[in-house]
């Protein structure tokens, strides 16, 4: 995977990876996925629901196989193991070669098809525009995670079948005690009808690019969506970096929510108190800083992809 300081140009790798090398990178990726969410994925396969972690797969329409599968990224060739290389490695290449975006090389290896890169040029340009717009603005850290509260404001049908930590009336009172400063349309669109007029801005899909800013937890989580949407052009290591940060952001998102998740091991960030708001801003700021670095790395990589089109 190419590396550079965030925002600096990168050069795409044109490496031919030996079977031993690409198998080692694939195994390392699978081990990292296991460490992050292995038990959750096994529970999910048994049909169990999780109000915090399901979001990373249902909302982003990403199957567990999407995060488990290792991709080398554009320009890299996975060399064929040959007849003496073992059936397992050959099977991996056979599987990859059937996926959208891949092609076989003349000597039996597998690589991302240059035609697929050209096909995804529009998506690359749109993603770069959103990343650039987000990065151009200062981080705003005064929302206190109230978007989740606005989604249950004055409603008898909360989004999750989990008790409200303060109960309905006190939850509504928290929303009414502070201004709503949400800047992310994909959170705003789930506000209740009663909550939507309370937001400082009316957000729409058309004007999304005008409001995104790097302090928003959901803007940071969306870096993961950008990576999985552009697979297999993006190296799996970068996608997993984005997933790991999205996981951290999602946990803060729900710890600061009105839901009582202590039975699942999530201690609340009590944003209805001054101490809780300060705690939220500290954690939000740390996530935003990591997001700035990741956003810059992703943007540099996408720039290299566009240059290769």
């Amino acid at each position: 995977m190419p590396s550079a300081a965030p925002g600096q140009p990168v050069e795409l790798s044109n490496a031919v990876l030996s079977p031993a090398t690409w198998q080692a990178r694939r195994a390392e990726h699978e081990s990292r996925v296991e460490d992050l969410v292995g038990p959750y994925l096994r529970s999910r396969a048994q049909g169990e629901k999780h109000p915090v972690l399901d979001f990373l797969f249902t909302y982003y329409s990403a199957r567990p196989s999407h995060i488990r599968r290792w991709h080398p990224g554009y320009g890299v060739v996975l060399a064929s193991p040959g007849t003496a290389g073992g059936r397992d490695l050959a099977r991996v290449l056979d599987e990859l070669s059937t996926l959208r975006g891949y092609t076989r090389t003349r000597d039996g290896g597998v690589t991302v098809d240059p035609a697929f890169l050209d096909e995804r040029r529009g998506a690359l340009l749109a993603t770069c525009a959103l990343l650039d717009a987000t990065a151009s603005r200062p981080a705003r850290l005064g929302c206190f995670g109230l978007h989740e509260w606005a989604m249950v404001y004055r409603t008898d049908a909360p989004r999750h079948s989990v008790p409200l930590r303060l109960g309905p009336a006190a939850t509504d009172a928290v929303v009414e005690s502070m201004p709503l400063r949400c800047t992310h349309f994909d959170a705003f669109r789930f506000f209740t009808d009663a909550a939507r007029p309370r937001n400082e801005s009316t957000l729409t899909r058309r004007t999304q690019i005008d409001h995104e800013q790097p302090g928003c937890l959901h803007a940071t989580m969306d870096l993961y969506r950008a990576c999985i949407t552009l697979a297999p052009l993006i190296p799996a290591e970068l996608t997993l970096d984005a997933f790991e940060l999205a996981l951290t952001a999602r946990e803060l998102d729900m710890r600061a929510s009105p839901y009582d998740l202590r039975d699942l091991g999530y201690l609340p960030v009590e944003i209805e108190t001054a101490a809780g708001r300060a705690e939220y801003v500290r954690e939000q700021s740390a996530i935003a800083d990591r997001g700035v670095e990741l956003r810059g790395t992703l943007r540099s990589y996408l720039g290299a992809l566009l240059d290769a089109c």
Side-chain angles (χ1 to χ4, degrees):
M1 174 181 156
S3 62
Q8 297 300 310
V10 301
E11 292 186 6
L12 297 176
S13 173
N14 291 311
V16 177
L17 301 185
S18 69
T21 299
W22 63 254
Q23 173 65 356
R25 283 181 58 180
R26 179 173 173 267
E28 183 179 354
H29 174 81
E30 291 175 348
S31 176
R32 190 176 165 199
V33 171
E34 173 64 25
D35 290 342
L36 285 172
V37 288
Y40 160 75
L41 292 179
R42 285 188 287 278
S43 296
R44 178 181 171 83
Q46 298 299 315
E48 296 183 24
K49 303 295 185 182
H50 196 291
V52 177
L53 302 182
D54 284 348
F55 176 87
L56 297 174
F57 295 93
T58 55
Y59 175 76
Y60 287 117
S61 300
R63 294 188 297 273
S65 60
H66 291 159
I67 199 65
R68 281 186 169 127
R69 184 177 292 121
W70 177 73
H71 299 292
Y74 182 78
V76 178
V77 175
L78 305 184
S80 169
T83 56
R87 291 187 211 171
D88 288 343
L89 296 186
R91 190 179 301 116
V92 171
L93 292 190
D94 288 342
E95 178 185 335
L96 284 178
S97 68
T98 65
L99 298 177
R100 181 171 178 252
Y102 279 103
T103 189
R104 285 279 191 180
T105 63
R106 283 183 292 181
D107 57 1
V110 169
T111 191
V112 177
D113 192 343
F116 182 74
L117 174 60
D118 292 338
E119 179 185 325
R120 299 298 284 156
R121 179 177 173 81
L124 289 169
L125 288 170
T127 302
C128 286
L130 185 58
L131 295 179
D132 289 344
T134 304
S136 72
R137 301 185 180 106
R140 297 182 58 183
L141 303 173
C143 69
F144 306 126
L146 279 167
H147 55 279
E148 286 288 343
W149 299 68
M151 294 178 193
V152 299
Y153 179 65
R154 294 190 180 181
T155 181
D156 296 326
R159 291 176 54 77
H160 299 287
S161 56
V162 179
L164 296 177
R165 185 166 52 81
L166 303 179
T171 297
D172 291 347
V174 170
V175 175
E176 292 165 358
S177 70
M178 290 181 278
L180 296 180
R181 300 189 179 109
C182 183
T183 58
H184 189 72
F185 171 70
D186 281 317
F188 175 78
R189 68 191 178 98
F190 292 109
F191 283 20
T192 64
D193 290 342
R196 206 168 290 122
R198 303 184 69 89
N199 201 53
E200 67 175 8
S201 300
T202 299
L203 307 176
T204 67
R205 178 68 70 199
R206 184 178 59 82
T207 61
Q208 178 178 3
I209 199 169
D210 300 325
H211 294 277
E212 293 284 21
Q213 50 86 20
C216 172
L217 290 182
H218 282 265
T220 297
M221 283 190 270
D222 280 355
L223 296 173
Y224 160 59
R225 170 161 55 191
C227 289
I228 59 173
T229 299
L230 293 170
L233 299 171
I234 307 296
E237 291 88 347
L238 182 53
T239 300
L240 200 51
D241 286 344
F243 177 82
E244 184 173 12
L245 185 53
L247 178 62
T248 301
R250 176 59 178 172
E251 288 175 349
L252 176 59
D253 198 33
M254 292 301 284
R255 286 172 54 225
S257 78
Y259 297 104
D260 189 344
L261 298 165
R262 284 171 288 196
D263 286 349
L264 293 173
Y266 297 99
L267 295 179
V269 176
E270 299 175 346
I271 58 95
E272 69 274 15
T273 70
R277 291 191 291 275
E279 179 184 357
Y280 181 85
V281 169
R282 285 193 299 271
E283 296 195 38
Q284 180 189 25
S285 180
I287 290 169
D289 288 345
R290 291 172 62 189
V292 166
E293 182 174 357
L294 183 62
R295 186 174 292 106
T297 299
L298 177 59
R299 178 61 178 86
S300 297
Y301 191 81
L302 298 188
L305 287 172
L306 285 169
D307 289 342
C309 286

